[in-house]
Short mmCIF file of all heavy atoms in Angstrom, two decimals:
data_model
loop_
_atom_site.label_atom_id
_atom_site.label_comp_id
_atom_site.label_asym_id
_atom_site.label_seq_id
_atom_site.Cartn_x
_atom_site.Cartn_y
_atom_site.Cartn_z
N ILE A 1180 124.48 74.74 105.53
CA ILE A 1180 125.72 74.14 105.98
C ILE A 1180 125.98 72.91 105.11
O ILE A 1180 125.18 71.97 105.11
CB ILE A 1180 125.64 73.71 107.46
CG1 ILE A 1180 125.28 74.90 108.35
CG2 ILE A 1180 126.97 73.09 107.91
CD1 ILE A 1180 124.96 74.50 109.78
N VAL A 1181 127.07 72.93 104.36
CA VAL A 1181 127.43 71.79 103.53
C VAL A 1181 128.34 70.88 104.36
O VAL A 1181 129.35 71.33 104.89
CB VAL A 1181 128.16 72.22 102.24
CG1 VAL A 1181 128.49 71.01 101.37
CG2 VAL A 1181 127.30 73.22 101.47
N ASN A 1182 127.98 69.60 104.49
CA ASN A 1182 128.74 68.73 105.37
C ASN A 1182 128.67 67.28 104.93
O ASN A 1182 127.83 66.90 104.12
CB ASN A 1182 128.27 68.87 106.83
CG ASN A 1182 126.85 68.38 107.03
OD1 ASN A 1182 126.63 67.30 107.54
ND2 ASN A 1182 125.86 69.15 106.61
N GLY A 1183 129.59 66.46 105.47
CA GLY A 1183 129.61 65.04 105.17
C GLY A 1183 130.33 64.73 103.87
O GLY A 1183 130.58 65.60 103.04
N ILE A 1184 130.65 63.46 103.69
CA ILE A 1184 131.41 63.05 102.51
C ILE A 1184 130.61 63.20 101.22
O ILE A 1184 131.18 63.23 100.13
CB ILE A 1184 131.91 61.59 102.66
CG1 ILE A 1184 130.73 60.63 102.83
CG2 ILE A 1184 132.90 61.46 103.79
CD1 ILE A 1184 131.15 59.15 102.85
N PHE A 1185 129.29 63.30 101.34
CA PHE A 1185 128.46 63.45 100.15
C PHE A 1185 128.04 64.91 99.93
O PHE A 1185 127.25 65.19 99.03
CB PHE A 1185 127.21 62.57 100.25
CG PHE A 1185 127.52 61.10 100.32
CD1 PHE A 1185 127.37 60.40 101.51
CD2 PHE A 1185 127.99 60.43 99.20
CE1 PHE A 1185 127.68 59.05 101.58
CE2 PHE A 1185 128.29 59.08 99.26
CZ PHE A 1185 128.15 58.39 100.45
N GLY A 1186 128.56 65.82 100.74
CA GLY A 1186 128.26 67.23 100.56
C GLY A 1186 126.78 67.55 100.69
O GLY A 1186 126.22 68.29 99.87
N VAL A 1187 126.15 66.99 101.71
CA VAL A 1187 124.72 67.25 101.90
C VAL A 1187 124.50 68.67 102.39
O VAL A 1187 125.32 69.22 103.14
CB VAL A 1187 124.09 66.23 102.89
CG1 VAL A 1187 124.62 66.44 104.29
CG2 VAL A 1187 122.57 66.32 102.87
N ASN A 1188 123.42 69.29 101.95
CA ASN A 1188 123.03 70.60 102.43
C ASN A 1188 122.13 70.43 103.66
O ASN A 1188 121.00 69.95 103.53
CB ASN A 1188 122.28 71.39 101.37
CG ASN A 1188 123.14 71.77 100.19
OD1 ASN A 1188 124.36 71.87 100.32
ND2 ASN A 1188 122.53 71.99 99.04
N THR A 1189 122.64 70.82 104.80
CA THR A 1189 121.82 70.92 106.01
C THR A 1189 121.41 72.38 106.15
O THR A 1189 122.21 73.27 105.93
CB THR A 1189 122.62 70.48 107.25
OG1 THR A 1189 122.91 69.08 107.16
CG2 THR A 1189 121.85 70.74 108.54
N TYR A 1190 120.16 72.60 106.52
CA TYR A 1190 119.66 73.97 106.65
C TYR A 1190 119.22 74.25 108.08
O TYR A 1190 118.57 73.41 108.72
CB TYR A 1190 118.48 74.21 105.70
CG TYR A 1190 118.85 74.06 104.25
CD1 TYR A 1190 118.53 72.90 103.55
CD2 TYR A 1190 119.51 75.07 103.56
CE1 TYR A 1190 118.87 72.74 102.22
CE2 TYR A 1190 119.86 74.92 102.22
CZ TYR A 1190 119.53 73.76 101.56
OH TYR A 1190 119.86 73.60 100.23
N LEU A 1191 119.58 75.43 108.56
CA LEU A 1191 119.08 75.94 109.83
C LEU A 1191 118.11 77.07 109.51
O LEU A 1191 118.49 78.05 108.86
CB LEU A 1191 120.20 76.47 110.71
CG LEU A 1191 121.37 75.54 111.04
CD1 LEU A 1191 122.32 76.23 112.01
CD2 LEU A 1191 120.89 74.22 111.61
N ILE A 1192 116.87 76.94 109.96
CA ILE A 1192 115.88 78.00 109.80
C ILE A 1192 115.80 78.69 111.16
O ILE A 1192 115.40 78.07 112.16
CB ILE A 1192 114.52 77.42 109.39
CG1 ILE A 1192 114.68 76.48 108.20
CG2 ILE A 1192 113.54 78.54 109.06
CD1 ILE A 1192 113.46 75.63 107.92
N ILE A 1193 116.17 79.94 111.21
CA ILE A 1193 116.47 80.61 112.47
C ILE A 1193 115.53 81.80 112.69
O ILE A 1193 115.31 82.62 111.79
CB ILE A 1193 117.93 81.11 112.48
CG1 ILE A 1193 118.90 79.93 112.29
CG2 ILE A 1193 118.24 81.86 113.77
CD1 ILE A 1193 120.29 80.34 111.89
N LYS A 1194 114.99 81.87 113.91
CA LYS A 1194 114.28 83.06 114.39
C LYS A 1194 114.76 83.33 115.81
O LYS A 1194 114.52 82.52 116.71
CB LYS A 1194 112.77 82.84 114.38
CG LYS A 1194 112.11 82.96 113.03
CD LYS A 1194 110.59 82.93 113.14
CE LYS A 1194 109.94 83.07 111.78
NZ LYS A 1194 108.45 83.07 111.88
N GLY A 1195 115.45 84.44 116.00
CA GLY A 1195 116.00 84.74 117.32
C GLY A 1195 116.99 83.67 117.73
O GLY A 1195 117.93 83.37 117.00
N ASN A 1196 116.75 83.06 118.89
CA ASN A 1196 117.65 82.00 119.35
C ASN A 1196 117.06 80.60 119.14
O ASN A 1196 117.56 79.63 119.69
CB ASN A 1196 118.00 82.20 120.84
CG ASN A 1196 116.79 81.97 121.74
OD1 ASN A 1196 115.65 82.05 121.29
ND2 ASN A 1196 117.04 81.68 123.00
N GLU A 1197 115.99 80.52 118.34
CA GLU A 1197 115.36 79.24 118.05
C GLU A 1197 115.64 78.84 116.60
O GLU A 1197 115.78 79.70 115.72
CB GLU A 1197 113.85 79.32 118.27
CG GLU A 1197 113.45 79.62 119.70
CD GLU A 1197 111.95 79.69 119.88
OE1 GLU A 1197 111.25 80.02 118.90
OE2 GLU A 1197 111.48 79.43 121.01
N CYS A 1198 115.71 77.53 116.38
CA CYS A 1198 115.92 77.09 115.00
C CYS A 1198 115.31 75.73 114.74
O CYS A 1198 115.06 74.94 115.66
CB CYS A 1198 117.40 77.09 114.63
SG CYS A 1198 118.32 75.62 115.12
N ILE A 1199 115.04 75.48 113.48
CA ILE A 1199 114.61 74.18 112.95
C ILE A 1199 115.75 73.69 112.07
O ILE A 1199 116.33 74.46 111.29
CB ILE A 1199 113.34 74.31 112.10
CG1 ILE A 1199 112.21 75.01 112.86
CG2 ILE A 1199 112.90 72.93 111.58
CD1 ILE A 1199 111.55 74.20 113.93
N ILE A 1200 116.08 72.41 112.18
CA ILE A 1200 117.12 71.83 111.32
C ILE A 1200 116.45 70.98 110.24
O ILE A 1200 115.59 70.15 110.55
CB ILE A 1200 118.09 70.95 112.12
CG1 ILE A 1200 118.78 71.76 113.22
CG2 ILE A 1200 119.13 70.31 111.20
CD1 ILE A 1200 119.68 70.93 114.12
N VAL A 1201 116.84 71.18 109.00
CA VAL A 1201 116.39 70.34 107.89
C VAL A 1201 117.55 69.45 107.46
O VAL A 1201 118.61 69.95 107.09
CB VAL A 1201 115.89 71.18 106.70
CG1 VAL A 1201 115.43 70.27 105.57
CG2 VAL A 1201 114.78 72.12 107.12
N ASP A 1202 117.36 68.14 107.54
CA ASP A 1202 118.34 67.14 107.10
C ASP A 1202 119.71 67.29 107.75
O ASP A 1202 120.67 67.74 107.11
CB ASP A 1202 118.48 67.17 105.57
CG ASP A 1202 117.28 66.58 104.85
OD1 ASP A 1202 116.40 66.00 105.53
OD2 ASP A 1202 117.22 66.68 103.61
N PRO A 1203 119.84 66.91 109.01
CA PRO A 1203 121.13 67.01 109.70
C PRO A 1203 122.13 65.99 109.16
O PRO A 1203 121.97 64.79 109.34
CB PRO A 1203 120.78 66.72 111.16
CG PRO A 1203 119.55 65.87 111.09
CD PRO A 1203 118.79 66.34 109.89
N GLY A 1204 123.15 66.47 108.47
CA GLY A 1204 124.16 65.59 107.88
C GLY A 1204 125.06 64.96 108.92
O GLY A 1204 125.05 65.31 110.10
N MET A 1205 125.90 64.04 108.47
CA MET A 1205 126.70 63.23 109.38
C MET A 1205 127.73 64.05 110.14
O MET A 1205 128.10 63.71 111.26
CB MET A 1205 127.40 62.12 108.59
CG MET A 1205 126.46 61.18 107.88
SD MET A 1205 127.31 59.93 106.89
CE MET A 1205 127.94 58.84 108.17
N ASP A 1206 128.22 65.13 109.55
CA ASP A 1206 129.29 65.91 110.17
C ASP A 1206 128.82 67.29 110.62
O ASP A 1206 129.62 68.22 110.74
CB ASP A 1206 130.47 66.07 109.21
CG ASP A 1206 131.08 64.72 108.84
OD1 ASP A 1206 131.08 63.82 109.69
OD2 ASP A 1206 131.55 64.58 107.70
N ILE A 1207 127.53 67.43 110.86
CA ILE A 1207 127.01 68.72 111.29
C ILE A 1207 127.63 69.11 112.63
O ILE A 1207 127.86 68.26 113.51
CB ILE A 1207 125.47 68.68 111.39
CG1 ILE A 1207 124.90 70.08 111.64
CG2 ILE A 1207 125.00 67.71 112.44
CD1 ILE A 1207 123.39 70.13 111.57
N ALA A 1208 127.93 70.40 112.80
CA ALA A 1208 128.56 70.89 114.03
C ALA A 1208 127.50 71.01 115.12
O ALA A 1208 127.09 72.11 115.51
CB ALA A 1208 129.25 72.22 113.76
N SER A 1209 127.07 69.87 115.63
CA SER A 1209 125.92 69.82 116.52
C SER A 1209 126.13 70.59 117.82
O SER A 1209 125.23 71.28 118.30
CB SER A 1209 125.55 68.37 116.83
OG SER A 1209 126.67 67.69 117.35
N GLU A 1210 127.31 70.49 118.41
CA GLU A 1210 127.55 71.16 119.68
C GLU A 1210 127.53 72.67 119.53
O GLU A 1210 126.98 73.39 120.38
CB GLU A 1210 128.88 70.70 120.28
CG GLU A 1210 128.87 69.25 120.76
CD GLU A 1210 127.70 68.94 121.70
OE1 GLU A 1210 127.46 69.75 122.63
OE2 GLU A 1210 127.03 67.92 121.48
N LEU A 1211 128.08 73.17 118.44
CA LEU A 1211 128.05 74.61 118.20
C LEU A 1211 126.62 75.09 117.99
O LEU A 1211 126.24 76.16 118.46
CB LEU A 1211 128.90 74.96 116.97
CG LEU A 1211 130.41 74.81 117.13
CD1 LEU A 1211 131.12 75.10 115.82
CD2 LEU A 1211 130.93 75.73 118.22
N ILE A 1212 125.83 74.30 117.28
CA ILE A 1212 124.43 74.66 117.05
C ILE A 1212 123.67 74.69 118.37
O ILE A 1212 122.92 75.64 118.67
CB ILE A 1212 123.78 73.67 116.06
CG1 ILE A 1212 124.38 73.84 114.67
CG2 ILE A 1212 122.26 73.87 116.01
CD1 ILE A 1212 123.97 72.77 113.68
#
């Protein structure tokens, strides 16, 4: 997920309905996640 004014790459590592977030950017769609 590319987000924020600096275009940071946030990554979701997903297995089933569980996930790990790597580097949550300022504009990450947190509620949807």
